[in-house]
Structures are given as structure tokens and as C-alpha cells.
Amino acid sequence: MFKNYNNWVRYPKLISLCLVFFSITRIVVLQFHSELNKSLFWIIAMICGVVTYVIFHYMNIKVELIKVSQCSSYKEAKDKYQQMLETIMERITEKEMKQFISIELGYLTDEVKRFIFIKGIYSKIDEL
């Protein structure tokens, strides 16, 4: 099931985004007619769309991290990331390089991008 994540993670995200967009347009249209009962339904539909998008977004990040790290579980991927980060910080002696790594990790909000960044540095650790 995880190997075919495109079918069960990406498409529900797109469907929930469409639901949110459609709900917002319906709310705007119905506000001009001032029918509160119909507007309430679309407000609830918009909230449900946002919640499902957030859920599937985080599921997608977890699946991508497992795929990129080639680990069997999310916890194992996080442990591998933490181990690589600790090894890098122990082996690098330059203060400026450590500050650069910590600043760059602060800018990267996605766990997958952080893993790729650390993996790239880890692969070049002997040259540093």
C-alpha cells in the first residue's frame, strides 16, 4: 500500500482542495442571497476539506520520508536523520559551518528536504 502512495494520498489531497475552493465560492455566492442555512452547510464542508487536506499532507510527508530514506518505518527514518545530524555536528569543527547548517535547517520546514540536506552533507563529511 505504501509503494502506491500516489493513489491514496495525492488524490484525496486534490479532492479536499477542490472541496475547499468550491465551498468558498458557494459561501460567497450565498452571502449575496443571505440564506444562512445553506451557507452553514458550505462552511462546514470547507472546514472538512481543510482538515482532510492537512491530514493527507502530513501522511504524504511521512510516506515521502520513508521513501527517500529507504527505511521501513517513519520512526526508523527519523532515527537515521538524527544519527546523521549528530555525526555531522561531531565531525565538523568549524563554528561557521555548524552555524550555517543550523540556519539552513531552520529555513527548511519540510522533513523530507531536511533529510536530503543532511544526507548530502553526510555523504561529503570526509571531504570537509
Side-chain angles (χ1 to χ4, degrees), residues 80-81 83-88 91 115-128:
K80 185 176 180 180
Y81 166 79
Q83 182 184 17
M84 284 191 302
L85 184 59
E86 288 172 3
T87 304
I88 289 170
R91 304 263 310 270
F115 184 86
I116 292 170
F117 177 71
I118 292 298
K119 189 174 181 181
I121 294 174
Y122 187 77
S123 66
K124 304 288 184 183
I125 194 78
D126 292 331
E127 298 172 10
L128 294 176

Side-chain angles (χ1 to χ4, degrees), residues 100-101 104-105 108 113-121:
F100 169 75
I101 291 171
E104 286 297 317
L105 287 177
L108 298 172
K113 292 176 184 174
R114 285 184 181 179
F115 184 86
I116 292 170
F117 177 71
I118 292 298
K119 189 174 181 181
I121 294 174

